[in-house]
Amino acid sequence: MIKVMVVDDQPLIRDGLATLLDLRPELQVVGTAGNGQEAYEKALELKPDIVLMDIRMPVKNGVEGTKMITSNIPFVKTLMLTTFSDSELIFEALSEGASGYLLKDMPTDTIVQAIITVHSGGIVLPPDVTGQMVQELKKSRGTEDSGRTAEAPESLHDLTEREVDVLRQLGYGHSNKEIAGILFITEGTVKNHVSNIISKLSLRDRTQAAIFAVRFGIAIFPES
Protein backbone atom coordinates (compact mmCIF):
# COMPACT_ATOMS: atom_id res chain seq x y z
CA MET A 1 0.00 0.00 0.00
CA ILE A 2 1.35 3.42 -1.01
CA LYS A 3 1.25 6.07 1.72
CA VAL A 4 0.12 9.45 0.40
CA MET A 5 -0.09 12.97 1.84
CA VAL A 6 -2.25 15.65 0.17
CA VAL A 7 -1.12 19.29 0.36
CA ASP A 8 -3.38 22.17 -0.74
CA ASP A 9 -4.35 25.45 0.91
CA GLN A 10 -8.00 25.06 -0.12
CA PRO A 11 -9.71 22.71 2.38
CA LEU A 12 -12.43 21.65 -0.06
CA ILE A 13 -9.92 20.47 -2.66
CA ARG A 14 -7.52 19.01 -0.08
CA ASP A 15 -10.08 17.06 1.90
CA GLY A 16 -12.07 16.01 -1.15
CA LEU A 17 -9.04 14.58 -2.93
CA ALA A 18 -7.82 12.91 0.25
CA THR A 19 -11.19 11.21 0.68
CA LEU A 20 -11.28 9.99 -2.93
CA LEU A 21 -7.73 8.64 -2.82
CA ASP A 22 -8.22 6.93 0.54
CA LEU A 23 -11.03 4.87 -1.01
CA ARG A 24 -8.51 3.20 -3.33
CA PRO A 25 -7.23 -0.15 -2.01
CA GLU A 26 -3.67 0.50 -3.24
CA LEU A 27 -3.41 3.85 -1.43
CA GLN A 28 -3.48 5.06 2.17
CA VAL A 29 -3.79 8.78 2.86
CA VAL A 30 -1.71 9.31 6.01
CA GLY A 31 -2.22 13.06 6.35
CA THR A 32 -2.91 16.45 4.81
CA ALA A 33 -1.30 19.89 4.97
CA GLY A 34 -2.14 23.44 3.93
CA ASN A 35 1.24 24.82 2.81
CA GLY A 36 4.80 23.80 1.96
CA GLN A 37 6.17 24.37 5.46
CA GLU A 38 3.45 22.26 7.07
CA ALA A 39 3.96 19.61 4.38
CA TYR A 40 7.65 19.34 5.26
CA GLU A 41 6.98 19.14 9.00
CA LYS A 42 4.29 16.49 8.58
CA ALA A 43 6.39 14.50 6.09
CA LEU A 44 9.13 14.26 8.73
CA GLU A 45 6.60 12.81 11.14
CA LEU A 46 4.37 10.69 8.88
CA LYS A 47 6.97 9.51 6.32
CA PRO A 48 4.62 9.21 3.33
CA ASP A 49 5.83 7.59 0.12
CA ILE A 50 4.30 10.31 -2.08
CA VAL A 51 3.34 13.92 -1.36
CA LEU A 52 0.75 15.44 -3.70
CA MET A 53 1.80 19.08 -3.56
CA ASP A 54 -0.12 22.12 -4.75
CA ILE A 55 2.06 24.80 -6.37
CA ARG A 56 0.56 28.09 -5.15
CA MET A 57 0.14 28.24 -1.36
CA PRO A 58 0.77 30.76 1.45
CA VAL A 59 3.66 30.65 3.95
CA LYS A 60 5.77 28.43 1.68
CA ASN A 61 4.62 27.43 -1.79
CA GLY A 62 4.88 24.02 -3.40
CA VAL A 63 8.30 24.67 -4.91
CA GLU A 64 9.75 25.64 -1.52
CA GLY A 65 8.02 22.70 0.16
CA THR A 66 9.36 20.33 -2.48
CA LYS A 67 12.89 21.65 -2.02
CA MET A 68 12.76 21.09 1.75
CA ILE A 69 11.40 17.57 1.36
CA THR A 70 13.73 16.39 -1.40
CA SER A 71 16.76 17.93 0.33
CA ASN A 72 16.07 16.51 3.78
CA ILE A 73 13.81 13.47 3.26
CA PRO A 74 15.04 12.06 -0.08
CA PHE A 75 13.02 8.85 0.19
CA VAL A 76 9.78 10.89 0.07
CA LYS A 77 8.75 11.74 -3.51
CA THR A 78 6.66 14.75 -4.49
CA LEU A 79 4.12 15.00 -7.29
CA MET A 80 2.91 18.50 -8.11
CA LEU A 81 -0.74 19.53 -8.52
CA THR A 82 -1.10 22.57 -10.72
CA THR A 83 -2.87 24.46 -13.48
CA PHE A 84 -1.63 25.14 -17.00
CA SER A 85 -0.76 28.75 -16.11
CA ASP A 86 1.89 27.63 -13.62
CA SER A 87 4.45 26.40 -16.19
CA GLU A 88 7.31 28.46 -14.75
CA LEU A 89 6.72 27.17 -11.23
CA ILE A 90 6.32 23.61 -12.49
CA PHE A 91 9.76 23.60 -14.06
CA GLU A 92 11.17 25.14 -10.88
CA ALA A 93 9.60 22.34 -8.85
CA LEU A 94 10.97 19.69 -11.21
CA SER A 95 14.40 21.30 -10.89
CA GLU A 96 14.08 20.99 -7.11
CA GLY A 97 13.43 17.26 -7.36
CA ALA A 98 9.69 16.83 -7.90
CA SER A 99 8.89 13.58 -9.70
CA GLY A 100 6.34 15.12 -12.05
CA TYR A 101 3.13 17.05 -12.17
CA LEU A 102 -0.60 16.69 -12.78
CA LEU A 103 -3.29 19.22 -13.61
CA LYS A 104 -5.87 19.57 -10.85
CA ASP A 105 -8.80 18.80 -13.14
CA MET A 106 -7.46 15.40 -14.21
CA PRO A 107 -9.61 12.35 -13.36
CA THR A 108 -8.99 10.53 -10.09
CA ASP A 109 -7.94 7.40 -12.00
CA THR A 110 -5.19 9.42 -13.71
CA ILE A 111 -3.96 10.76 -10.38
CA VAL A 112 -3.91 7.25 -8.89
CA GLN A 113 -1.95 5.88 -11.85
CA ALA A 114 0.50 8.78 -11.58
CA ILE A 115 1.08 8.01 -7.90
CA ILE A 116 1.77 4.38 -8.78
CA THR A 117 4.14 5.44 -11.57
CA VAL A 118 6.15 7.73 -9.30
CA HIS A 119 6.24 5.13 -6.54
CA SER A 120 7.72 2.61 -9.00
CA GLY A 121 10.46 5.02 -10.05
CA GLY A 122 8.88 6.78 -13.01
CA ILE A 123 8.38 10.48 -13.70
CA VAL A 124 5.00 11.95 -14.63
CA LEU A 125 5.08 14.48 -17.47
CA PRO A 126 1.63 14.37 -19.14
CA PRO A 127 2.37 14.39 -22.89
CA ASP A 128 -0.83 16.19 -23.87
CA VAL A 129 0.13 19.31 -21.88
CA THR A 130 3.90 19.18 -21.46
CA GLY A 131 4.51 20.44 -24.98
CA GLN A 132 2.26 23.42 -24.36
CA MET A 133 4.01 24.14 -21.05
CA VAL A 134 7.41 24.06 -22.73
CA GLN A 135 6.22 26.51 -25.38
CA GLU A 136 4.71 28.83 -22.76
CA LEU A 137 7.92 28.69 -20.76
CA LYS A 138 9.95 29.64 -23.82
CA LYS A 139 7.64 32.55 -24.56
CA SER A 140 7.79 33.80 -20.99
CA ARG A 141 11.59 33.72 -21.10
CA GLY A 142 11.79 35.17 -24.58
CA THR A 143 13.66 32.15 -25.91
CA GLU A 144 11.24 31.01 -28.58
CA ASP A 145 12.71 31.39 -32.06
CA SER A 146 10.43 30.11 -34.81
CA GLY A 147 9.60 27.03 -32.77
CA ARG A 148 13.23 25.99 -32.30
CA THR A 149 14.34 24.38 -29.05
CA ALA A 150 17.13 25.85 -26.94
CA GLU A 151 20.63 24.91 -28.00
CA ALA A 152 21.89 21.95 -25.99
CA PRO A 153 25.17 22.20 -24.08
CA GLU A 154 28.34 20.63 -25.48
CA SER A 155 28.19 17.89 -22.85
CA LEU A 156 25.33 16.29 -24.78
CA HIS A 157 27.88 15.21 -27.40
CA ASP A 158 29.61 13.11 -24.73
CA LEU A 159 26.64 10.72 -24.67
CA THR A 160 26.64 7.56 -26.74
CA GLU A 161 23.78 6.91 -29.14
CA ARG A 162 22.25 4.43 -26.70
CA GLU A 163 22.55 6.90 -23.82
CA VAL A 164 20.66 9.46 -25.90
CA ASP A 165 17.95 6.83 -26.46
CA VAL A 166 17.72 6.28 -22.71
CA LEU A 167 17.71 10.03 -22.04
CA ARG A 168 14.80 10.46 -24.46
CA GLN A 169 12.80 7.82 -22.60
CA LEU A 170 13.59 9.51 -19.28
CA GLY A 171 12.07 12.64 -20.78
CA TYR A 172 8.89 10.71 -21.44
CA GLY A 173 8.77 9.79 -17.75
CA HIS A 174 9.45 6.08 -18.10
CA SER A 175 10.87 3.93 -15.31
CA ASN A 176 13.99 1.78 -15.76
CA LYS A 177 11.81 -1.29 -16.26
CA GLU A 178 9.74 0.43 -18.95
CA ILE A 179 12.85 1.74 -20.72
CA ALA A 180 14.33 -1.75 -20.71
CA GLY A 181 11.21 -3.09 -22.43
CA ILE A 182 11.12 -0.29 -24.99
CA LEU A 183 14.81 -0.53 -25.93
CA PHE A 184 15.09 -4.33 -25.54
CA ILE A 185 17.91 -4.17 -23.00
CA THR A 186 18.16 -5.32 -19.40
CA GLU A 187 17.03 -3.20 -16.48
CA GLY A 188 20.58 -3.29 -15.10
CA THR A 189 21.91 -1.90 -18.37
CA VAL A 190 19.37 0.92 -18.21
CA LYS A 191 20.46 1.73 -14.67
CA ASN A 192 24.09 1.95 -15.82
CA HIS A 193 23.13 4.21 -18.74
CA VAL A 194 21.14 6.50 -16.42
CA SER A 195 24.14 6.80 -14.08
CA ASN A 196 26.40 7.63 -17.02
CA ILE A 197 23.94 10.24 -18.32
CA ILE A 198 23.67 11.96 -14.96
CA SER A 199 27.45 11.99 -14.59
CA LYS A 200 28.27 13.18 -18.12
CA LEU A 201 25.66 15.95 -18.07
CA SER A 202 26.55 16.99 -14.48
CA LEU A 203 22.96 16.54 -13.31
CA ARG A 204 21.68 15.71 -9.83
CA ASP A 205 19.24 12.91 -10.58
CA ARG A 206 16.96 11.29 -13.16
CA THR A 207 14.34 14.01 -12.76
CA GLN A 208 16.85 16.63 -13.86
CA ALA A 209 17.80 14.32 -16.74
CA ALA A 210 14.13 14.21 -17.77
CA ILE A 211 13.89 18.00 -17.64
CA PHE A 212 17.06 18.22 -19.76
CA ALA A 213 15.52 15.90 -22.36
CA VAL A 214 12.35 17.99 -22.55
CA ARG A 215 14.03 21.40 -22.48
CA PHE A 216 16.49 20.61 -25.27
CA GLY A 217 14.05 18.79 -27.53
CA ILE A 218 15.42 15.27 -27.07
CA ALA A 219 12.00 14.14 -25.86
CA ILE A 220 9.38 15.67 -28.17
CA PHE A 221 5.85 16.27 -26.90
CA PRO A 222 2.85 17.40 -28.92
CA GLU A 223 2.02 21.07 -28.49
CA SER A 224 -1.69 20.46 -28.09
Side-chain angles (χ1 to χ4, degrees):
M1 188 174 290
I2 304 171
K3 294 185 293 183
V4 179
M5 185 165 72
V6 180
V7 184
D8 197 298
D9 62 318
Q10 299 182 49
L12 185 61
I13 294 176
R14 180 179 67 237
D15 297 340
L17 182 56
T19 298
L20 288 173
L21 294 179
D22 206 36
L23 293 173
R24 300 300 180 109
E26 62 268 67
L27 305 181
Q28 178 189 9
V29 176
V30 295
T32 62
N35 61 66
Q37 180 66 42
E38 186 181 5
Y40 169 64
E41 293 169 357
K42 286 197 172 183
L44 283 171
E45 174 190 355
L46 301 173
K47 296 179 173 59
D49 298 306
I50 308 288
V51 175
L52 283 178
M53 182 87 75
D54 185 25
I55 281 279
R56 295 186 182 275
M57 295 181 291
V59 185
K60 286 191 180 294
N61 65 24
V63 176
E64 295 167 315
T66 294
K67 182 177 182 179
M68 289 190 292
I69 289 173
T70 56
S71 298
N72 298 288
I73 331 172
F75 58 86
V76 178
K77 298 178 179 179
T78 60
L79 183 58
M80 310 310 293
L81 292 172
T82 184
T83 63
F84 179 76
S85 62
D86 290 333
S87 55
E88 183 79 36
L89 288 174
I90 278 296
F91 277 89
E92 286 183 27
L94 292 171
S95 297
E96 294 296 349
S99 295
Y101 73 93
L102 293 167
L103 300 186
K104 287 185 176 183
D105 59 359
M106 286 181 170
T108 305
D109 286 345
T110 301
I111 296 175
V112 172
Q113 186 55 56
I115 291 170
I116 294 171
T117 296
V118 169
H119 187 255
S120 66
I123 301 166
V124 178
L125 302 172
D128 53 343
V129 292
T130 297
Q132 290 176 287
M133 281 198 165
V134 171
Q135 295 304 316
E136 287 300 314
L137 189 64
K138 288 177 182 177
K139 290 176 183 177
S140 70
R141 293 180 174 178
T143 59
E144 186 173 42
D145 181 14
S146 301
R148 293 168 54 193
T149 56
E151 185 177 350
E154 285 296 319
S155 57
L156 180 61
H157 300 301
D158 295 334
L159 302 186
T160 66
E161 185 176 347
R162 180 54 89 187
E163 287 167 353
V164 172
D165 291 338
V166 172
L167 178 60
R168 180 175 297 109
Q169 298 306 321
L170 287 175
Y172 292 139
H174 292 139
S175 65
N176 287 356
K177 182 177 181 180
E178 290 170 330
I179 295 172
I182 292 167
L183 299 180
F184 302 103
I185 55 180
T186 67
E187 196 169 343
T189 299
V190 174
K191 186 176 180 180
N192 290 336
H193 284 320
V194 172
S195 295
N196 289 339
I197 290 166
I198 291 171
S199 176
K200 288 180 179 181
L201 298 180
S202 299
L203 302 173
R204 183 182 59 209
D205 52 32
R206 66 186 292 124
T207 303
Q208 286 199 340
I211 299 169
F212 184 101
V214 173
R215 182 167 290 161
F216 296 112
I218 297 160
I220 304 297
F221 290 86
E223 295 184 19
S224 61

